[in-house]
């Protein structure tokens, strides 16, 4: 009998050669009901942000949000691409609340295998891995940085060239306010990023403002390119 990492209820894992050979490690750490309630991203995706595109027969490669970003001169080509593992739904919202705001750090280990798989499918090992930082006040409130915890799932060395100003939570702002706000990140000049391909790690991609602000700060410091890998796509 195992205990599900997400709902904390005991469950009986199927014992068969099929289960042993086909179930991913995270499927073996969460119960069937929790697995059923999570939505893995698949199908035709926006070439920049990774949002599933509704019209798979269309030749369009960008979603409407990314078209708007790319139409603004100051944000054009700032983010090379984002890829995410799961879609944001009500159950994922509960799971992230458990992880981020109730301090259940162990939750993140349920996603390790698929997160690593997404990284290997879309990126390479020659990226500088940069978790999105929290402000000092937010870090004190939560006790840990959720992006840092997610980045550690890759089992690769991490770099921390950015610090973050303490501002109003992005989730409380309108889309317009997010896009047109001052850059929330400050580059740490002691970390060399010149000519580096940067891979930003965060928990959720919503409007793309956070990762684009971080990307812009790093590109201005001389980075070659900036992409992002997030656990969830809002």
């Amino acid at each position: 009998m195992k205990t599900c990492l997400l709902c904390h209820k005991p469950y009986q894992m199927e014992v068969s050669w099929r289960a042993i050979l086909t179930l991913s490690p995270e499927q073996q750490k969460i119960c069937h009901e929790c697995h059923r309630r999570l939505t893995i991203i698949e199908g035709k995706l926006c070439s920049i942000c990774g949002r599933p595109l509704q019209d798979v027969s269309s030749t369009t490669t960008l979603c409407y949000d990314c078209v708007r970003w790319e139409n603004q001169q100051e944000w054009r080509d700032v983010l090379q691409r984002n890829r995410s593992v799961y879609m944001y739904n009500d159950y994922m919202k509960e799971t992230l609340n458990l992880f981020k705001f109730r301090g259940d750090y162990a939750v993140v280990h349920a996603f390790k295998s698929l997160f690593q798989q997404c990284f290997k499918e879309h990126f390479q090992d020659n990226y500088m891995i940069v978790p999105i930082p929290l402000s000092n006040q937010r870090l004190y409130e939560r006790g840990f940085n959720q992006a840092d915890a997610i980045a550690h799932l890759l089992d690769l060395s991490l770099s921390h060239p950015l610090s973050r100003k303490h501002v109003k939570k992005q989730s409380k702002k309108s889309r317009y306010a997010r896009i047109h706000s001052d850059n929330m990140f400050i580059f740490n000049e002691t970390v060399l990023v010149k000519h580096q391909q940067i891979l930003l790690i965060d928990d959720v991609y919503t409007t793309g403002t956070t990762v684009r602000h971080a990307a812009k700060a790093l590109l201005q410091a001389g980075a070659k390119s900036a992409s992002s890998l997030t656990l969830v796509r809002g």
Side-chain angles (χ1 to χ4, degrees), residues 4 40 91 165 186:
C4 177
I40 297 173
Y91 190 62
K165 304 171 188 176
I186 302 170

Side-chain angles (χ1 to χ4, degrees), residues 40-52 80-86 113-127 129 154 156 197-201 225-231:
I40 297 173
I41 293 176
E42 54 190 358
K44 185 179 179 180
L45 308 177
C46 171
S47 59
I48 295 182
C49 76
R51 175 189 295 212
Q80 191 172 67
R81 61 179 162 159
N82 171 77
R83 288 297 178 265
S84 307
V85 181
Y86 295 98
S113 179
L114 282 183
F115 195 72
Q116 288 185 341
Q117 182 180 318
C118 190
F119 170 76
K120 290 174 183 177
E121 182 178 349
H122 298 288
F123 305 99
Q124 304 90 33
D125 291 339
N126 59 340
Y127 277 81
I129 311 298
L154 296 176
L156 297 171
Q197 293 187 98
I198 306 294
L199 182 62
L200 299 160
I201 306 293
S225 67
S227 296
S228 60
L229 174 61
T230 58
L231 184 63

Side-chain angles (χ1 to χ4, degrees), residues 2-220:
K2 291 178 173 285
T3 300
C4 177
L5 279 178
L6 302 187
C7 68
H8 302 297
K9 295 178 182 178
Y11 71 99
Q12 187 72 46
M13 192 179 80
E14 179 186 353
V15 180
S16 68
W17 281 112
R18 177 184 173 279
I20 293 171
L21 294 173
T22 63
L23 291 183
S24 65
E26 63 264 30
Q27 285 176 279
Q28 298 174 35
K29 293 178 181 178
I30 63 177
C31 67
H32 175 73
E33 179 61 21
C34 285
H35 178 69
R36 184 187 66 78
R37 297 173 71 183
L38 295 171
T39 303
I40 297 173
I41 293 176
E42 54 190 358
K44 185 179 179 180
L45 308 177
C46 171
S47 59
I48 295 182
C49 76
R51 175 189 295 212
L53 296 176
Q54 300 300 316
D55 186 0
V56 295
S57 63
S58 172
T59 57
T60 301
T61 60
L62 294 182
C63 69
Y64 178 61
D65 277 350
C66 285
V67 169
R68 288 194 288 176
W69 277 111
E70 294 301 298
N71 281 340
Q72 297 181 71
Q73 183 64 38
E74 64 174 314
W75 296 110
R76 186 175 302 155
D77 298 325
V78 167
L79 184 70
Q80 191 172 67
R81 61 179 162 159
N82 171 77
R83 288 297 178 265
S84 307
V85 181
Y86 295 98
M87 287 298 296
Y88 190 82
N89 59 19
D90 288 340
Y91 190 62
M92 180 54 78
K93 179 180 179 179
E94 293 176 21
T95 301
L96 289 177
N97 284 340
L98 187 68
F99 172 49
K100 292 170 63 173
F101 305 119
R102 299 183 203 170
D104 193 343
Y105 192 97
V107 163
V108 75
H109 296 292
F111 308 122
K112 183 171 184 175
S113 179
L114 282 183
F115 195 72
Q116 288 185 341
Q117 182 180 318
C118 190
F119 170 76
K120 290 174 183 177
E121 182 178 349
H122 298 288
F123 305 99
Q124 304 90 33
D125 291 339
N126 59 340
Y127 277 81
M128 175 184 278
I129 311 298
V130 177
I132 293 290
L134 292 177
S135 67
N136 290 336
Q137 182 172 330
R138 200 77 70 210
L139 183 61
Y140 177 79
E141 291 170 358
R142 294 184 186 170
F144 71 99
N145 178 1
Q146 73 279 357
D148 205 64
I150 294 169
H152 274 100
L153 297 178
L154 296 176
D155 294 328
L156 297 171
S157 60
L158 308 180
S159 298
H160 299 84
L162 298 173
S163 58
R164 187 170 184 163
K165 304 171 188 176
H166 184 70
V167 295
K168 182 180 179 181
K169 289 183 180 180
Q170 291 295 299
S171 59
K172 303 296 183 183
K173 295 180 180 179
S174 67
R175 186 183 190 282
Y176 182 88
R178 290 188 192 196
I179 293 173
H180 296 281
S181 59
D182 293 335
N183 200 315
M184 65 192 83
F185 296 103
I186 302 170
F187 176 66
N188 177 1
E189 295 184 3
T190 64
V191 181
L192 298 178
V193 300
K194 197 169 183 178
H195 306 309
Q196 293 282 350
Q197 293 187 98
I198 306 294
L199 182 62
L200 299 160
I201 306 293
D202 206 2
D203 55 348
V204 183
Y205 180 110
T206 306
T207 64
T209 303
T210 299
V211 292
R212 280 181 171 84
H213 275 224
K216 191 171 186 178
L218 293 168
L219 291 173
Q220 289 173 339

